[in-house]
Amino acid sequence: MNHQDIKTLGELKAIGYQSLSIKDELRNNLIKKLKQQETVFNGVWGYEDSVIPELETAILSKHNINLLGLRGQAKTKLARLMVSLLDEYIPIVQGSEINDDPLQPLSRYAKERIATHQDDTPIAWVHRDERFFEKLATPDVTVADLIGDVDPIKAMNLKLNYADDRVIHFGMIPRANRCIFVINEIPDLQARIQVSLFNILQEGDIQIRGFKLRLQLDIQFVFTANPEDYTNRGSIVTPLKDRIGSQILTHYPKSIEIAKKITSQEATYLQDQKDEIHVPELARDLIEQLVFEARKSEYIDVKSGVSARMSISIFENLISTAERRSLLNEETKTSIRVLDFLGTISAITGKIELVYEGEQEGADNVALLLLNNAIKTTFNTLFPEIKKLKKEGEPSPYDTISAWFSSKEAVELLDDMDDTYFRDQLDSIAPLTDLIKKHQPTTSEKDVPFLKEFILWALSEYKILNKERFTTGYQFNDPLDSYIRGI
């Protein structure tokens, strides 16, 4: 029988419906998925051997959960994915404000309606997607917002005095009965507001302006917190922390490959952009390496963290920078360049918290430094190491490139130059082609221009070449030539 055909309490009893708490519901459905070896938390990468097993254990233990980690570590995403472990539909007493279970009603409204109508009591069905509530904790959140308050308008309309519990207007938490309720950044909640959660978590009663209602609310609480909050803005008060069953530590991706999966999944760009703009795999590696460099930079506050949203924003800006260039040059197709990374500076500076030394250096300079460090780190995984000290006369794989620049004029790569001229400039440097054929022979033809430009940037970082920034682009030349000219 379809659930939509069941419209009264009597019909619900006739099919043998059994009430389950939300924690039992989550537990039972998780057990089914684990037995069938289904992936429970789809689209979350890098947590397969760490966070997810702990989260599944907490669900099996029927615990309320605190996800503790730096920003951009998919804490809220994990909580939202728990919805997939709920039953598809649950019955409620029709018209109930707090999703009353027809077999175990809590509110006066539901109890009176069942007492009046008995088995003819109308029921409604709630889909699991409607059973997720989320609240961002901010200092201005009140007890009335979360728990409820006396409603004078309701008292006046119903002609009741304030001693009657029917004048109460329920807050978000009672309305989330039989649902997953997430409070993000719980340390930002004032201590007195956190205290108001004690009884709901443990004793199952709520107190509103002197009213003490015995409501055994059935809620799966998920809290999220940032360790930085414990010192900067507040803390989780100890008795509340004690009532949270499991605290699970999240973390950033531990490899470039996992980080690339996350960025590819979360980044938003149009099909037209996908068709018209080629993104070399090396460019994707560079984005993630840049973020890894940021997380260990002495200029960035490590306690604040560097969100995975930074790599997503960089990728989106990178695509848009290339798109803008192709529009200016009236080209239908183009490919990402290293120069396009300059268009991502705003995506980087808006996602990092600088320490004092970083503020002195300047956000834009720190962003460029991260890009240059990412280029150096990635270059060392693709080409022979450039030794800081080498014996006199010892050959280097890059000698032919140095010789080419010492005998030729400088090469200029402009920010908005068209693809044909850009390729011609790079193709004119014959030793670059030879280096790629020897050390990266499997590079696709579409990726070769990016790799050539990448090599020039890397060699300039190692002082084998000189790189000078102009208003509209970069010039690469021989370091000795620059010294002679006094540049």
Side-chain angles (χ1 to χ4, degrees):
M1 181 183 289
N2 193 310
H3 74 274
Q4 293 175 338
D5 297 331
I6 302 167
K7 298 179 180 178
T8 66
L9 176 56
E11 293 172 352
L12 188 67
K13 290 177 179 177
I15 65 167
Y17 177 80
Q18 297 290 320
S19 296
L20 275 181
S21 73
I22 186 171
K23 288 183 169 66
D24 283 323
E25 199 180 322
L26 290 165
R27 173 184 161 82
N28 292 350
N29 288 325
L30 175 59
I31 289 171
K32 289 177 187 176
K33 284 182 177 285
L34 291 177
K35 284 182 176 179
Q36 294 168 5
Q37 298 188 340
E38 291 182 31
T39 301
V40 180
F41 295 94
N42 284 305
V44 178
W45 306 101
Y47 285 170
E48 294 85 355
D49 301 317
S50 54
V51 175
I52 289 176
E54 291 182 16
L55 185 54
E56 290 173 348
T57 300
I59 293 170
L60 291 173
S61 300
K62 302 196 289 187
H63 283 176
N64 292 312
I65 298 162
N66 181 28
L67 296 171
L68 181 65
L70 297 173
R71 57 184 173 177
Q73 291 185 349
K75 299 188 293 294
T76 306
K77 186 181 181 72
L78 284 169
R80 287 175 181 157
L81 288 171
M82 285 175 64
V83 171
S84 67
L85 292 173
L86 297 173
D87 291 342
E88 188 174 9
Y89 286 94
I90 60 165
I92 66 167
V93 175
Q94 193 174 74
S96 167
E97 290 182 282
I98 61 171
N99 297 323
D100 277 288
D101 184 337
L103 301 182
Q104 297 178 1
L106 292 181
S107 68
R108 178 194 281 237
Y109 166 85
K111 289 175 181 177
E112 289 181 348
R113 192 152 200 201
I114 291 172
T116 302
H117 299 285
Q118 300 293 325
D119 284 352
D120 292 329
T121 304
I123 65 170
W125 293 86
V126 178
H127 191 264
R128 61 183 165 216
D129 289 344
E130 298 172 3
R131 297 173 63 196
F132 181 86
F133 286 71
E134 185 177 0
K135 178 63 178 173
L136 175 63
T138 55
D140 62 336
V141 172
T142 65
V143 173
D145 294 333
L146 292 180
I147 312 299
D149 204 351
V150 172
D151 186 347
I153 305 299
K154 186 183 286 187
M156 182 180 68
N157 289 340
L158 297 175
K159 297 181 180 179
L160 299 170
N161 62 45
Y162 287 174
D164 195 305
D165 64 353
R166 284 173 291 180
V167 304
I168 291 175
H169 173 78
F170 290 116
M172 288 187 70
I173 291 177
R175 289 172 183 274
N177 184 40
R178 304 172 73 198
C179 299
I180 296 170
F181 191 86
V182 179
I183 301 182
N184 284 313
E185 311 301 342
I186 184 69
D188 284 352
L189 213 56
Q190 292 183 42
R192 65 184 180 84
I193 311 299
Q194 293 185 40
V195 169
S196 70
L197 300 176
F198 290 179
N199 282 14
I200 294 175
L201 284 173
Q202 197 77 30
E203 285 77 25
D205 60 57
I206 62 173
Q207 297 182 23
I208 300 172
R209 293 189 182 272
F211 283 105
K212 185 174 181 180
L213 293 180
R214 192 71 182 171
L215 288 180
Q216 290 286 349
L217 294 174
D218 180 24
I219 299 174
Q220 172 65 56
F221 280 101
V222 180
F223 304 99
T224 73
N226 187 324
E228 181 196 14
D229 295 339
Y230 287 116
T231 54
N232 280 9
R233 295 196 292 272
S235 63
I236 302 177
V237 297
T238 305
L240 176 60
K241 192 174 181 182
D242 183 55
R243 285 166 167 80
I244 301 171
S246 293
Q247 178 170 281
I248 300 169
L249 300 179
T250 58
H251 56 80
Y252 287 123
K254 295 179 180 179
S255 72
I256 295 292
E257 290 306 314
I258 290 173
K260 282 163 62 178
K261 280 186 179 181
I262 295 170
T263 302
S264 179
Q265 174 181 277
E266 301 297 330
T268 303
Y269 64 120
L270 303 174
Q271 188 60 48
D272 287 349
Q273 292 175 315
K274 292 179 183 180
D275 294 339
E276 296 168 6
I277 301 166
H278 173 64
V279 185
E281 201 62 28
L282 179 56
R284 296 177 187 270
D285 291 341
L286 205 54
I287 292 171
E288 306 306 338
Q289 187 60 50
L290 191 157
V291 177
F292 275 56
E293 297 291 337
R295 288 178 185 144
K296 63 182 182 181
S297 171
E298 60 183 349
Y299 294 121
I300 295 172
D301 185 359
V302 67
K303 292 183 297 181
S304 180
V306 178
S307 168
R309 286 183 283 270
M310 185 163 107
S311 53
I312 296 165
S313 295
I314 291 173
F315 183 85
E316 292 169 348
N317 267 17
L318 198 62
I319 293 291
S320 297
T321 302
E323 182 181 34
R324 176 183 175 276
R325 169 169 45 76
S326 67
L327 290 171
L328 291 174
N329 292 321
E330 298 181 352
E331 295 171 326
T332 56
K333 292 185 181 296
T334 190
S335 181
I336 295 293
R337 304 173 187 170
V338 179
L339 270 169
D340 293 333
F341 275 83
L342 299 181
T344 70
I345 298 297
S346 59
I348 300 171
T349 56
K351 296 285 190 297
I352 54 177
E353 296 289 337
L354 301 177
V355 296
Y356 176 76
E357 291 80 0
E359 296 286 358
Q360 296 297 105
E361 191 74 20
D364 284 8
N365 289 334
V366 170
L368 282 173
L369 181 65
L370 295 175
L371 172 60
N372 292 331
N373 287 343
I375 289 172
K376 288 174 70 175
T377 302
T378 306
F379 180 82
N380 290 331
T381 66
L382 301 174
F383 295 97
E385 178 187 1
I386 298 176
K387 298 178 181 178
K388 291 183 179 179
L389 298 173
K390 67 173 185 174
K391 296 177 183 178
E392 188 175 348
E394 182 181 352
S396 164
Y398 312 104
D399 287 342
T400 53
I401 298 174
S402 297
W404 189 92
F405 274 92
S406 65
S407 63
K408 303 282 184 178
E409 294 183 2
V411 171
E412 290 187 353
L413 299 178
L414 306 180
D415 296 343
D416 294 326
M417 67 197 311
D418 63 67
D419 274 353
T420 302
Y421 188 56
F422 177 75
R423 287 172 181 268
D424 288 346
Q425 286 288 86
L426 292 171
D427 290 344
S428 69
I429 311 170
L432 285 180
T433 303
D434 297 335
L435 185 71
I436 291 171
K437 284 182 178 178
K438 183 174 181 181
H439 296 286
Q440 294 297 323
T442 59
T443 304
S444 68
E445 187 178 340
K446 294 176 74 174
D447 289 358
V448 166
F450 184 89
L451 187 54
K452 287 182 176 180
E453 184 191 10
F454 171 80
I455 292 169
L456 295 182
W457 278 69
L459 295 183
S460 69
E461 287 303 305
Y462 282 106
K463 310 303 180 187
I464 292 175
L465 299 178
N466 184 64
K467 178 173 91 256
E468 301 169 39
R469 176 66 182 170
F470 295 107
T471 305
T472 57
Y474 277 100
Q475 183 186 85
F476 294 89
N477 53 42
D478 179 57
L480 185 59
D481 181 56
S482 299
Y483 177 77
I484 293 171
R485 291 187 287 115
I487 296 177

